[in-house]
Amino acid sequence: MLSPTSRSVALADGPPPAAVPRSPRPYPYERPALLVMAALAAMLSLWGVDRSVYQGFYASAVRSMTDNPVAFFYGSFDLGNSITLDKLPGFLWPQALSALVLGFHPWALVLPQALEMVACVVLLHLLVRRWAGVRPG
């Protein structure tokens, strides 16, 4: 129940304005352009993946993370889980999962980073599109 003061304010303002409907896709080239940019990002990040090398320090952590679930959670190197990474272990979880699924190869460690790059291109498009519009996005 409204108080007399709030009732007079509510009646003076009237009903809230109706939302203006927006067209979902005013630019027909938006999705094809985004698909082309994502495919280009995937091609550039996967170019020469068979000749990729990895950093030994973090690759050995990924190797131990694929062998032991505790090492996976804490990012440790040894079987006793006493030597851990100097960073949070979450940044190596995609590489460790990829190594579990595909085997421990240099390209299996680079593949999640390439997929993350494509996801970043799509996310950047969505954020810029919301902020500045479709054409700058």
Side-chain angles (χ1 to χ4, degrees):
M1 183 166 173
L2 296 174
S3 68
T5 306
S6 61
R7 179 179 293 145
S8 64
V9 170
L11 294 176
D13 289 341
V20 178
R22 295 184 339 177
S23 62
R25 297 281 176 209
Y27 298 99
Y29 60 84
E30 180 182 6
R31 281 196 181 159
L34 179 60
L35 288 174
V36 167
M37 285 188 293
L40 182 65
M43 184 187 75
L44 290 175
S45 61
L46 291 173
W47 190 279
V49 74
D50 56 339
R51 294 182 303 275
S52 64
V53 295
Y54 49 82
Q55 210 277 340
F57 180 71
Y58 296 117
S60 61
V62 168
R63 180 68 168 190
S64 67
M65 289 168 86
T66 58
D67 294 337
N68 187 355
V70 176
F72 179 82
F73 185 70
Y74 288 106
S76 57
F77 287 99
D78 58 339
L79 295 176
N81 298 320
S82 61
I83 302 172
T84 59
L85 290 170
D86 60 339
K87 296 178 175 57
L88 293 174
F91 84 100
L92 286 180
W93 287 347
Q95 283 84 0
L97 291 173
S98 174
L100 276 173
V101 172
L102 302 172
F104 188 78
H105 301 287
W107 56 269
L109 300 180
V110 175
L111 183 64
Q113 294 173 348
L115 295 176
E116 290 166 0
M117 181 177 169
V118 173
C120 284
V121 167
V122 172
L123 180 67
L124 181 67
H125 166 73
L126 293 175
L127 291 175
V128 172
R129 176 180 159 242
R130 178 172 288 204
W131 178 64
V134 173
R135 288 185 181 158

